[in-house]
Amino acid sequence: GFQPTQVGSIYATFAIGAIVAPVLVGLLADRWFAVEQVICATHALMALLMIAAGILCDQFHPPHDDSASFVRTLFALMLAYAIGTQITLTLSTVISFRNLPAGNGVFWYVRLTGTLGWIVAGFVVGWCLNPVSPEPLYVAGATSGVLAIFALALPHTPPKGYGRPVKEVIGVPAIRMFGDRSFVIFAAVLFVCNGMNQFYSLFVPPFLKELGVEWDLGRWGRWAPEVIMTLAQWCEIGCMAASP
């Protein structure tokens, strides 16, 4: 029952989280707390946020309920969750770089599991759940709860005892890099790719549904658009495995 602009506002929380998270990461993991503790606490909070979002969506009954006020509440929950997502994504890289041996190609194995996890999520949503329902929110909440517990088993990675300078947090060094032609090309390509990715993530599932792209493979399950879209991640794994 959402308008397209309302759907867009919910998905925009991920980008806003990416802007806010670096400041929080610098404060929490660089100055005050061990990295694994921040990951644990953040995932525990994310679990509560997703369960709250699921309950909220269960109580929403369009068109009788006011979607505008509902979306505002959902936006706040999803924004907090998006900030947490960006914090844990960043710190998973930090904890890898601080603990894995450098120079022998170990990190790419760790990074590859992130793409594999995306594929697993696509199959779970496409095979086991109703994608257009609160069910994926509850699964996300349960997963964050498991990850909060798992974070306690990660290597102890204490804070450095100092934070990054404010100018580094807000990206001043990156601005200076725009004097390098190679970096400008990289940034331009990244900008276009991320713009395309937003259309892909938001609108390809309903587009495929309208085209009738859905395969019933009997005992092998129903290949819904969410499952079919994981072909992109299989391609990503192939490219990463082939890269030096």
Side-chain angles (χ1 to χ4, degrees), residues 142-179:
T143 304
S144 282
V146 171
L147 289 172
I149 298 171
F150 176 74
L152 299 175
L154 293 172
H156 178 58
T157 309
K160 292 180 177 180
Y162 59 88
R164 289 173 291 170
V166 174
K167 64 179 182 179
E168 183 179 322
V169 171
I170 63 176
V172 172
I175 295 174
R176 289 200 301 265
M177 292 175 69
F178 278 95

Side-chain angles (χ1 to χ4, degrees), residues 3 63 74 86 106-107 112 132 177 211 227:
Q3 298 298 317
L74 185 61
Q86 296 288 3
V106 175
F107 176 70
L112 200 64
V132 189
M177 292 175 69
L211 290 180
V227 175

Side-chain angles (χ1 to χ4, degrees), residues 13-26 79 82-84 86-87 169:
T13 58
F14 195 68
I16 299 171
I19 297 171
V20 175
V23 179
L24 298 177
V25 167
L79 178 59
I83 294 171
Q86 296 288 3
I87 289 174
V169 171

Side-chain angles (χ1 to χ4, degrees), residues 130-222:
N130 176 10
V132 189
S133 76
E135 292 177 8
L137 301 178
Y138 289 123
V139 172
T143 304
S144 282
V146 171
L147 289 172
I149 298 171
F150 176 74
L152 299 175
L154 293 172
H156 178 58
T157 309
K160 292 180 177 180
Y162 59 88
R164 289 173 291 170
V166 174
K167 64 179 182 179
E168 183 179 322
V169 171
I170 63 176
V172 172
I175 295 174
R176 289 200 301 265
M177 292 175 69
F178 278 95
D180 182 346
R181 187 180 67 174
S182 297
F183 182 78
V184 171
I185 294 172
F186 169 75
V189 171
L190 196 64
F191 181 84
V192 173
C193 287
N194 274 282
M196 293 292 291
N197 186 56
Q198 296 309 305
F199 288 100
Y200 175 78
S201 299
L202 270 68
F203 298 115
V204 167
F207 176 67
L208 292 178
K209 278 186 182 357
E210 289 200 15
L211 290 180
V213 179
E214 187 169 348
W215 305 329
D216 188 354
L217 301 183
R219 65 190 183 92
W220 294 103
R222 178 176 58 90

Side-chain angles (χ1 to χ4, degrees), residues 24-37:
L24 298 177
V25 167
L27 287 173
L28 297 172
D30 283 353
R31 291 180 185 270
W32 295 330
F33 304 105
V35 174
E36 74 279 5
Q37 294 173 352

